[in-house]
Amino acid sequence: MTQATSTATAGASTRDRLLDAAAGLFYREGVGVGVEALCRVAGVSKRSMYQLFDSKDEVLAASLERSAPAYQAFLLPAEDDRPPRARVLHVFERLEELAARPDFRGCPFVAVTAELKAPDHPASLVARRCKDALTAFFRAEAERGGAADPALLARQLTVAFDGSSVRAVMQGVGLDGLAVATAATLLDSAGLNGHGDAPHQGSRTSG
């Protein structure tokens, strides 16, 4: 994988190299990384960067946008015939895998937004869209499973995901099943029993 990545980077465009470097640096070291350090790691000049982007803020937002599909593809299950409960728990199992890695620094979208403390920052807007996509996935599965209030369950699951991610970073250790157990408790409370339907199936909402 390292060799393939190196080969891809060698043939990447200036923009791609810059965004790849930004994604890694900002995730590991925070959004305070300066333009000079960013350009040095990317192997591009500051002049080249400013020909592509008006500011570091734009680079940060674009790097989040670029890395989001791969992150979401890792977390979310492919289309399959598992019941909604199993598909939701898949996301939390993936989070547990990430949290056990020594380079885990939390959810990249939560991390950036927490550092910026500016909801209208371009990167915060990208982060919110990406986080909303996860909530939308939870809601779709909640609806499919017949939860009485899919929107509420989806928000609760998102809070459990984000809270678990933050705890792993703060404690500096893996989650040891805590994220999966918390999500399972929420699903149990909503009646998603793992058989594809909940007792509340007749109360599905469409909005």
Side-chain angles (χ1 to χ4, degrees):
M1 183 164 178
T2 302
Q3 184 177 3
T5 302
S6 300
T7 302
T9 301
S13 69
T14 299
R15 186 178 191 277
D16 290 342
R17 294 204 314 274
L18 190 59
L19 294 182
D20 287 344
L25 274 176
F26 292 141
Y27 183 67
R28 292 191 308 272
E29 301 179 22
V31 299
V33 172
V35 169
E36 288 189 8
L38 172 60
C39 291
R40 183 170 60 252
V41 171
V44 304
S45 67
K46 289 171 65 175
R47 181 171 179 271
S48 294
M49 190 199 93
Y50 285 117
Q51 286 176 336
L52 293 166
F53 300 96
D54 290 335
S55 65
K56 190 185 83 170
D57 288 345
E58 284 193 8
V59 177
L60 175 59
S63 70
L64 276 184
E65 193 93 63
R66 176 176 166 81
S67 61
Y71 181 74
Q72 292 169 336
F74 177 82
L75 285 179
L76 302 183
E79 291 296 329
D80 56 35
D81 58 359
R82 284 181 295 171
R85 178 189 179 90
R87 289 175 55 78
V88 169
L89 290 181
H90 172 99
V91 175
F92 287 86
E93 290 163 359
R94 290 291 204 173
L95 173 60
E96 298 262 4
E97 289 181 37
L98 289 175
R101 297 178 181 177
D103 60 347
F104 183 66
R105 300 292 184 271
C107 169
F109 311 122
V110 172
V112 164
T113 305
E115 277 198 85
L116 291 171
K117 297 179 178 61
D120 58 346
H121 188 285
S124 295
L125 298 177
V126 172
R128 193 178 311 140
R129 287 199 303 272
C130 295
K131 186 58 64 176
D132 287 347
L134 178 62
T135 304
F137 167 79
F138 288 147
R139 177 166 181 163
E141 295 302 324
E143 289 175 346
R144 201 164 64 87
D149 191 339
L152 175 61
L153 178 57
R155 292 197 301 272
Q156 290 172 328
L157 289 166
T158 304
V159 169
F161 182 97
D162 291 342
S164 297
S165 177
V166 170
R167 177 179 172 80
V169 175
M170 291 184 69
Q171 298 297 323
V173 295
L175 291 163
D176 296 326
L178 181 62
V180 173
T182 302
T185 298
L186 290 171
L187 293 168
D188 288 342
S189 297
L192 272 72
N193 53 25
H195 301 296
D197 296 304
H200 312 294
Q201 187 171 3
S203 304
R204 293 189 185 188
T205 59
S206 58

